[in-house]
Amino acid sequence: MATKVVMEALSPTMEEGRLVKWLKGEGDAVKSGDVLAEVETDKAVMELVARADGVLRKRLVNEGDATPVGQLIGVIAGADENIDALVGGAGGAGTGAPPQPQSAAAAPPAPDRPAAGRGDRAPVGAVPPEQLVAGTGERAGASPVPQSAAQSQGEASTPPQEQVAGVPPARPAAGHAPRTAIPHTGDHDTEQAPHATDNGGRARSSPLARRLASERGLDISHVRGSGPGGRIVRRDIEAAAAAPPRAAAQGGPPPAAAAPRAPSEGGFTDVPLTQIRKTIARRLSESIGPIPTFYLTAELDLGRVTEMRAAMAEMGPEFKVSVNDVVLKAVATALAQHPEVNAHWLGDRIRHFDRVHLGMAVATDDGLIVPVIFDAHAKRMSEISREAKELAKRARERKLKPEEYTGSTFSVSNLGMFGIDQFTAIINPPESAILAVGSSEDKVVVENGATVVRKRMRVTMSCDHRVIDGAVGAKFLQTLRRLIENPLMLVY
């Protein structure tokens, strides 16, 4: 029986995916769980797997094409089976039903993140299985962007662990390979190794290397890998692209310096939008226009923070924390005291959260992503420090799982390390505020009638006036000032 291959929702926020590379050709035999293609979502590069045994009879989407979720992109069938009806209807491919999820184990929700009672949620039985993202236990439409006019942004942005209370994560069935984000590890590989191939005879290479080779028109089978076991990594593709044609084909060493890119005809270069850049553009246009925003700026004294950090560093490297770690802890503590700021605008109501799920903006090569420190108000500063570093590292490597970058109740954006004194950040709907943190610098101030030099830092909070009034925002910043200027309160 013929099986449709559709563009699956590989992350909660995914509305379309770009097919980076087909790993199976037309006529290739496939088994359920085999990786058919690599797909770039709005957050990472993921693997699309086969959902049936048979032969990949038809590929309907070319490499590099962006395709909406649910659209037909291929057909798996028997070698002699007639697929004309399926292929002929590919023009209306948006009607392709998502594949059935794999079987799930009956288990209670994870104890470390219990679902807050949500009486307005639909019962578990009301969620059709085909709407679940396989392997996550989430609805395919669970994203910060509403899937319909009737769905508020707040409902769509609810933390995934609270989206469908009691729905356990799916467990892959026998023979099914789970989908996972593909790590980009090429930048860290330094040892030379012989050219290697995988079991199928294809050169071993990282997904990023394959994508770059495809974009630059290189035959990756002719490139010599320098990663572990001969794996081809990004630097190998860049070296091959910069080398003369003969050296590139032989996998020779790169020249001393790559020639500068010649300007295109017309004096400009068009850069296609990545999925993450499309999502950023859509999300920000939803914020800056319709949301009535006002801004509150405060200058905070970091004298005692500096003293505390120095004292902690003397105790050993494991106690070392950054100014950003102190800010995150202080914001989480202040939000716990001001739930009216830790809130979402849901269109017909405002939701105040008892738990603080703190988003922290991280700049990557592809754009901005906001991983979440869940229950930040209940974590020690050292825990927040370790988790923030790990999340930022994995965000830059595009290894974050969907549940790690959805569900924030308030966000912090810090550009201080770039020498920015002050800026205003754009609110991430349905959140009601975001804090922009500038750099710390020595300033001359007056204390008790005398001029002294103190380390100061400016913060600016962008507030949704539909939720937060000026006095409410000001009181929150007063609490934040008290915590940062008396940091021992954060370790009490």
Side-chain angles (χ1 to χ4, degrees), residues 261-270:
R261 184 175 62 178
S264 61
E265 185 177 352
F268 60 85
T269 302
D270 290 335

Side-chain angles (χ1 to χ4, degrees), residues 30-383:
V30 297
K31 293 183 177 180
S32 180
D34 284 354
V35 180
L36 296 176
E38 293 168 0
V39 174
E40 180 189 16
T41 72
D42 54 343
K43 304 294 184 183
V45 178
M46 311 284 281
E47 294 180 341
L48 182 68
V49 301
R51 300 296 176 179
D53 298 341
V55 175
L56 182 59
R57 294 282 304 280
K58 193 68 176 177
R59 303 192 314 196
L60 300 172
V61 173
N62 296 323
E63 293 179 353
D65 289 350
T67 306
V69 169
Q71 180 168 315
L72 184 68
I73 63 173
V75 177
I76 296 175
D80 301 322
E81 190 172 351
N82 190 326
I83 61 170
D84 292 345
L86 286 178
V87 174
T95 60
Q100 293 295 325
Q102 297 157 359
S103 60
D112 56 335
R113 292 182 192 168
R118 298 191 180 275
D120 54 341
R121 292 278 180 253
V124 174
V127 182
E130 63 271 17
Q131 292 184 13
L132 296 176
V133 179
T136 65
E138 302 168 18
R139 281 194 293 244
S143 75
V145 182
Q147 303 301 311
S148 67
Q151 182 191 26
S152 74
Q153 292 176 338
E155 294 292 332
S157 177
T158 299
Q161 66 271 23
E162 298 180 0
Q163 275 284 356
V164 188
V167 176
R171 181 177 56 196
H176 287 230
R179 288 195 305 268
T180 56
I182 305 171
H184 297 169
T185 57
D187 293 342
H188 308 287
D189 304 325
T190 56
E191 296 182 1
Q192 295 291 331
H195 193 64
T197 59
D198 60 16
N199 293 336
R202 184 164 51 90
R204 290 181 56 194
S205 56
S206 70
L208 177 59
R210 293 195 290 272
R211 185 179 71 182
L212 292 176
S214 175
E215 291 173 351
R216 302 182 187 194
L218 293 176
D219 185 350
I220 201 167
S221 63
H222 293 161
V223 177
R224 184 174 298 279
S226 63
R231 181 181 174 89
I232 300 171
V233 294
R234 181 173 69 177
R235 64 167 173 270
D236 302 320
I237 299 300
E238 292 174 343
R246 181 178 179 82
Q250 296 175 351
R261 184 175 62 178
S264 61
E265 185 177 352
F268 60 85
T269 302
D270 290 335
V271 179
L273 292 179
T274 61
Q275 297 304 312
I276 188 172
R277 180 56 60 184
K278 289 180 182 179
T279 300
I280 291 171
R282 184 182 66 250
R283 299 286 289 129
L284 296 188
S285 64
E286 292 172 356
S287 174
I288 199 64
I291 294 180
T293 307
F294 70 94
Y295 307 95
L296 299 173
T297 299
E299 188 170 280
L300 312 179
D301 190 287
L302 296 183
R304 290 177 178 171
V305 167
T306 303
E307 295 171 359
M308 183 188 74
R309 292 181 60 230
M312 293 176 69
E314 290 177 358
M315 297 170 61
E318 65 272 20
F319 296 100
K320 188 176 181 180
V321 296
S322 67
V323 172
N324 190 61
D325 298 331
V326 177
V327 171
L328 292 175
K329 174 60 178 176
V331 169
T333 304
L335 287 171
Q337 299 176 30
H338 295 270
E340 64 275 14
V341 176
N342 190 42
H344 280 182
W345 170 263
L346 302 184
D348 60 346
R349 62 195 184 280
I350 297 171
R351 175 170 294 165
H352 294 163
F353 290 92
D354 299 325
R355 300 158 63 191
V356 178
H357 303 321
L358 194 59
M360 57 173 203
V362 176
T364 71
D365 292 340
D366 296 306
L368 197 69
I369 189 169
V370 186
V372 184
I373 301 175
F374 289 94
D375 295 313
H377 63 291
K379 292 180 177 176
R380 299 169 60 185
M381 192 184 301
S382 58
E383 294 177 287

